[in-house]
Amino acid sequence: MMEEGQQEEMRHQFLEAREAALCVLSAQPSEVSNECLQPLIESPLSLKEKYREIDASDIIQSNAIGEPSEFLRRISTAFNILEKYGRNLLNPQKPKFWRAVKFNNPVFRSTVDAISGGRQVLRLYGYTEEQVDGMSFPQEVEAPDVHRVASVTVDVLLLRSELNLLISNLHPHPENFSKLLQSSLLPEAPLASDSVQVHEEFSRTPAPPQRSVTQECCTLCGGENASVHCPTCNEILCLECDRRLHQHPMRSQHHRLPVPKPRSRLLSSPHSTSPCSLVGDPSVSPSPWSPPHPAGPLPFSEMAGSYWRTLVPEAVPTPGGSAPRTPPTWDASIARTGRPPWHCVCCRTLNEARAVLCVGCDRPRGCKGIPEQEKGLSGGRERWSCQACTFENEAVAILCAMCDRPRLARKPSLSPGEGQPENIVPVKTPRQEACEWECEHCTFWNTTPGRVCKICDRSRTDANSPAAPGVSSTKEKGPDFRCLGVQPHSVSPASCEETERWRQDRLREDGQRLVNMIRAGEEFGLQPDEVFCAVQYSGTEVPVHWLQTELPFVLETVVELATRTKDVAAVGLVTQEEAKRAWLTCDGNIEEAVQYCTRERKRKVQEIRALGFTEQEQILQALYMNAGDVDKAITDLQRQLLAPFHARLWQEREPQFNFSTPDKQALLRRLLAVYSLPSWGRAELVVSLMQEQNRNYELQDIVEAVRQSHDKDFIRRMLAQECAVCSLELPRNRMQSLTSCECTICPECFKLHFTIAVKEKHIKDMVCPSCNEPEISDEAELLNYFSTLDILLRDCLDPDAYNLFHKKLTERVLMKDPKFLWCTHCSFGFIYEREQLEVKCPQCRKSFCINCKRPWEEQHQGISCEAFQSWKRANDPQYQVQGLAMYLQENGIACPNCKFSYSLARGGCMHFKCSQCRHEFCSGCYSTFHAKNKCALQTCTVRKSLHAHHPRDCLFYLRDWDVEHLQRLLQTEDVKFNTDPPAGTQPAPGGGCRVMEQKETLTGLKDEPCGKDTPVGYAGLCQSHYKEYLVRLINSHSLDPAVLYDLSEAEIVCKRYLQAVPQRAAGEDDRAYRNRLLKKLTEEAPLGENIPRKRI
């Protein structure tokens, strides 16, 4: 009872310490230290009680291969990476790609994927969705389960810490791991297994059924020392092939079993194809050929060296019905290579041991069976066979797991006898046999002379070099026909013809395939040698894609290898252009290309040094900058040598022309040479003009004028042009002129005029200072004018003025944006894209209403502009003091072009010119004012003067009516109007009307109060502004003044707006004629469309 109580107390303390570590890890993933884990490590509980999420015992057992210190350190390294995955998921600031884990990550492949159980820990984290290239969270999962991830991470941290202490012999309770480390040497432990405890949401897939194998050798290399069986791959392998095959991350977790070894190979039936019994496997019955096995497990080393099955080549029956025998060809192959032949799994054809592809179906030796696509089954990405070593790799693999060559590596050449009919015996001369050799790196049998293997591209050593022709070699590779009793010349003529026909067909097909590839490459601008080298190097069927994607990496490899040579000081850096030329010259052989680059670079350096250039660094730099071109490199080197000479040559000033010299011909020749004059007569003309007295022009001015004309009077006029502004005479080439006119302006006047225009005037005022051209109304023509003006101003204006010119051009473009606004406080323009009524100026930080343009107040929030104006009249004392003047000021003038608002009344001159965009319009109806001969209306009778086409309800016409007449028009529709000042109105300090107007003074336009007398009955305004007030009421209610027209007024208005005035009928009285005119007028001439119609 005491021990049970202590155990329960230790469990309780462990759970409390684990919960504390769990809380710290959830809150601050990066703050968990060894102090938090120390109570968990010091707990004497067993591993099963300590770890709540993972099965630590199974992880250690499944990875217990080799020395304990090695596999424990390998597990610790993997769990260090898994710990980082957990911390990243718990971190509030997660990485960008936290939802997925990619298998092609080199760190993942070498750590997590190198142990059994690493992926199961990721599944516990939440990476439950399997993908082709990795694992990821399901799409419906928006965020990881924090509590679950923290719990798994605590177990990962604890196991990693315990393994580190165990490796350093500092663990407080090593007895918990002693049994696991001792059992790691027992044969029951598999080579690789899934290590993580499986939860309910994860399920295992059943292992594929094992196929029946009828061979006793390794299914990959053909060796007789097969010792391991992989049920997943369905392969029987030797130790070396097992290491190479299962070092790939996709196969590192396969469960392998040792192969039992029979006591005697003679006990195995040579004709038996059934598998032998598996030692230790109760599911397989023992074979009668197997000896009794001793009790107890065998050591793993003994089991690894044994055999799983007895595999023998298929027997060949003799014609007489006697016992089958092995064909003499295979006997010779066995005698020569020491390896037995092999059966193709698909077509059961017996092949030589050195054959890589089956002669019957052309499938690789490592093929598992007929591919699914050939069986008519549909599926995703299939496994692929390496064209170099024929090993079948996973679909997601890029490099071959056996030979580490890329997926597009070249296909191996035909081995001796491959693809030929079985009844044809290959006959080789002693010279052909001497040229064949076996690669000591990949064991491929090369049939052509050379030093580079066609499979692995590695060079052979001198010890592997074949003997010279005619000399017997110590290592025989070819079959001994004399030992076989086969006569080389005993082949029937029919068989020879068939073999030759087969060979010719193969040559024709290969040639046609290469021609098609070259034609496809020419469509993309590729040369035939590029296509040929791509096929030679990679064996690809799509050389165009390979050249576009893979060739740059191959060239980088050539460049890198060339720079790593011991002669790098004499060779320098090699460019990719040189690497490509070398690669093409060497038919795609990388090693030969590297040697070619080095050899060519040394030759080019020697060639340049022979010309007298001694600086090695300069020579190498010139060759690198010119991609190995010797001629261009020499040109650059010579340019460097000639630089001091050129500097000295151009620094010397030429002597001035002496036009009083007696040698006139020498003077003329020099003029022709220096200024490139068109003829000898033009040169004489220059001399005669320079010899004139009282001239105010220089030689360069005369030369420019003479190039344009040979007329002496025209040249004199060109040399004496008068400035249109200051009347200064200068040569024409020194004058400035615009493209819109023919005025010539001196540089000083041109610069002064446009500097003032840019800084003080509008952008449209930047016209000719003499004729004020151009007057452009078309937007396209205006942009064309500004584009040519920009070229002229770039050289004559100061940088500040030129930048201001560009700023004004930009503002002019922005003003055309419908979202462009002007600030009513500081006149700053900006783009406003929000939908709120309150607009805050980014310049002065003050606010105003986007609709009524009034300064923003809190009372405007949530109500319309009309309601806010009514509130101001009733509650604002300052507003009431102004009376109707404030109303006229707030409902001032708004430019119809740029929407800029002016708090001014409309009295006085109706011709208004906007200070922002220079648009001229009527302040009453917003109609455009047209300059002389600029009106587009063809029937206009006043087109020769400044005018605008006002509607009949414009203030331009109604201001001529009497006050009583305007009041009677309002009374016809019962519209109320003021005759007395509103309540609270106070007179101006100086007296008179207090409405603000734009007045022209000696210093320019200025805004001042009106100041005129205010008669009684005019609501505190002068007569003109009271009329404006009444017209505002008429326009706001859309009243037609035609109802008060008499007959004479109706006739005048009809003549103004109607093209054809109706004639008076005979006997028609004045009233009927007037009504008919008014009806015609209202139908064809509506009221003004642009007049503001705001209700007061």
Side-chain angles (χ1 to χ4, degrees), residues 88-164:
N88 290 336
L89 293 177
L90 294 175
N91 196 336
Q93 302 295 331
K94 297 181 182 61
K96 184 177 181 180
F97 303 102
W98 65 270
R99 298 186 62 88
V101 175
K102 298 299 181 181
F103 294 156
N104 58 359
N105 187 335
V107 177
F108 178 85
R109 292 174 57 184
S110 61
T111 56
V112 179
D113 226 13
I115 68 168
S116 177
R119 296 192 183 183
Q120 284 292 356
V121 176
L122 294 176
R123 293 189 184 97
L124 296 179
Y125 279 147
Y127 296 99
T128 58
E129 186 169 326
E130 297 287 344
Q131 295 181 351
V132 177
D133 58 344
M135 306 169 66
S136 66
F137 277 80
Q139 293 293 335
E140 62 272 8
V141 177
E142 297 181 357
D145 188 350
V146 177
H147 185 271
R148 175 67 179 280
V149 173
S151 181
V152 176
T153 307
V154 168
D155 282 2
V156 171
L157 284 167
L158 181 57
L159 182 57
R160 183 180 65 84
S161 301
E162 289 198 278
L163 292 180
N164 291 337

Side-chain angles (χ1 to χ4, degrees), residues 75-91:
I75 298 173
S76 176
T77 303
F79 270 65
N80 186 21
I81 302 301
L82 292 172
E83 171 194 337
K84 294 180 180 179
Y85 279 112
R87 290 179 185 269
N88 290 336
L89 293 177
L90 294 175
N91 196 336

Side-chain angles (χ1 to χ4, degrees), residues 722-728 743-746 749-750 752-753 768-770:
E722 181 177 335
C723 175
V725 178
C726 64
S727 302
L728 178 66
C743 302
T744 57
I745 308 169
C746 66
C749 294
F750 190 85
L752 181 62
H753 167 72
C768 177
S770 176

Side-chain angles (χ1 to χ4, degrees), residues 512-570:
Q512 185 62 39
R513 188 182 304 110
L514 182 60
V515 169
N516 295 336
M517 293 179 184
I518 292 175
R519 289 177 178 175
E522 289 177 347
E523 296 179 358
F524 291 89
L526 299 176
Q527 298 298 325
D529 53 349
E530 295 179 345
V531 177
F532 174 75
C533 291
V535 175
Q536 284 291 104
Y537 176 77
S538 65
T540 177
E541 296 293 335
V542 191
V544 175
H545 178 72
W546 187 91
L547 288 170
Q548 294 174 349
T549 58
E550 300 296 333
L551 180 60
F553 301 102
V554 176
L555 299 181
E556 289 179 2
T557 304
V558 175
V559 172
E560 184 178 358
L561 294 176
T563 55
R564 288 182 179 178
T565 58
K566 58 183 179 180
D567 299 332
V568 64

Side-chain angles (χ1 to χ4, degrees), residues 678-967:
S679 65
W680 184 274
R682 298 288 180 97
E684 291 179 339
L685 189 57
V686 171
V687 173
S688 63
L689 291 173
M690 285 297 298
Q691 292 176 351
E692 291 183 354
Q693 302 295 330
N694 300 326
R695 56 180 176 82
N696 58 350
Y697 35 80
E698 302 297 334
L699 175 61
Q700 187 65 34
D701 303 331
I702 297 176
V703 170
E704 293 294 334
V706 168
R707 285 175 178 172
Q708 297 182 12
S709 176
H710 59 84
D711 188 356
K712 200 169 187 177
D713 295 336
F714 176 78
I715 294 174
R716 287 195 178 95
R717 291 194 301 270
M718 293 286 292
L719 294 174
Q721 290 286 319
E722 181 177 335
C723 175
V725 178
C726 64
S727 302
L728 178 66
E729 290 187 356
L730 288 176
R732 182 67 179 83
N733 62 310
R734 297 187 189 179
M735 289 290 190
Q736 296 281 1
S737 60
L738 300 175
T739 58
S740 58
C741 62
E742 298 180 356
C743 302
T744 57
I745 308 169
C746 66
E748 289 78 9
C749 294
F750 190 85
K751 178 179 180 180
L752 181 62
H753 167 72
F754 283 102
T755 301
I756 295 175
V758 167
K759 293 183 177 180
E760 301 179 3
K761 297 182 179 180
H762 191 263
I763 190 70
K764 286 189 176 181
D765 293 333
M766 302 185 67
V767 294
C768 177
S770 176
C771 61
N772 293 328
E773 290 290 336
E775 178 64 32
I776 301 176
S777 57
D778 188 6
E779 185 68 20
E781 295 181 4
L782 190 62
L783 292 177
N784 186 26
Y785 168 72
F786 281 130
S787 63
T788 56
L789 180 64
D790 177 72
I791 300 175
L792 298 175
L793 299 183
R794 186 182 306 165
D795 298 329
C796 69
L797 292 184
D798 296 334
D800 295 339
Y802 182 73
N803 293 334
L804 181 60
F805 168 68
H806 270 274
K807 183 179 178 181
K808 288 191 174 184
L809 285 179
T810 305
E811 290 180 351
R812 181 179 176 276
V813 175
L814 292 176
M815 285 167 54
K816 298 184 177 299
D817 194 305
K819 297 181 179 180
F820 182 81
L821 294 178
W822 291 103
C823 178
T824 58
H825 300 281
C826 65
S827 302
F828 178 77
F830 57 94
I831 300 293
Y832 184 75
E833 297 182 344
R834 303 177 64 181
E835 301 295 335
Q836 297 180 357
L837 292 178
E838 181 184 3
V839 181
K840 180 175 287 187
C841 175
Q843 180 74 15
C844 64
R845 313 303 298 176
K846 295 182 179 180
S847 301
F848 61 93
C849 178
I850 191 175
N851 292 331
C852 62
K853 304 297 186 298
R854 295 185 178 90
W856 185 263
E857 298 182 19
E858 295 181 358
Q859 291 77 11
H860 201 335
Q861 186 71 34
I863 62 176
S864 62
C865 297
E866 290 78 7
F868 175 68
Q869 184 178 5
S870 301
W871 179 89
K872 291 278 288 183
R873 293 174 186 170
N875 300 279
D876 192 352
Q878 296 182 357
Y879 191 94
Q880 295 174 354
V881 167
Q882 298 290 333
L884 295 180
M886 177 58 70
Y887 164 75
L888 295 178
Q889 180 178 348
E890 289 184 349
N891 295 273
I893 303 172
C895 177
N897 185 43
C898 66
K899 310 304 180 184
F900 189 80
S901 299
Y902 298 89
S903 299
L904 301 172
R906 291 174 170 79
C909 180
M910 304 296 293
H911 178 205
F912 195 88
K913 190 174 185 179
C914 179
S915 62
Q916 297 295 326
C917 64
R918 285 298 189 267
H919 180 62
E920 301 180 24
F921 60 94
C922 172
S923 60
C925 61
Y926 292 165
S927 298
T928 303
F929 264 88
H930 303 283
K932 181 180 179 181
N933 295 326
K934 298 295 182 179
C935 182
L937 187 61
Q938 297 297 330
T939 59
C940 180
T941 58
V942 291
R943 60 183 302 118
K944 293 186 178 180
S945 61
L946 180 67
H947 68 284
H949 298 283
H950 310 275
R952 61 179 178 273
D953 58 340
C954 177
L955 179 63
F956 183 81
Y957 294 122
L958 295 181
R959 64 181 177 177
D960 296 334
W961 285 20
D962 296 336
V963 173
E964 293 77 9
H965 206 54
L966 295 174
Q967 291 176 347

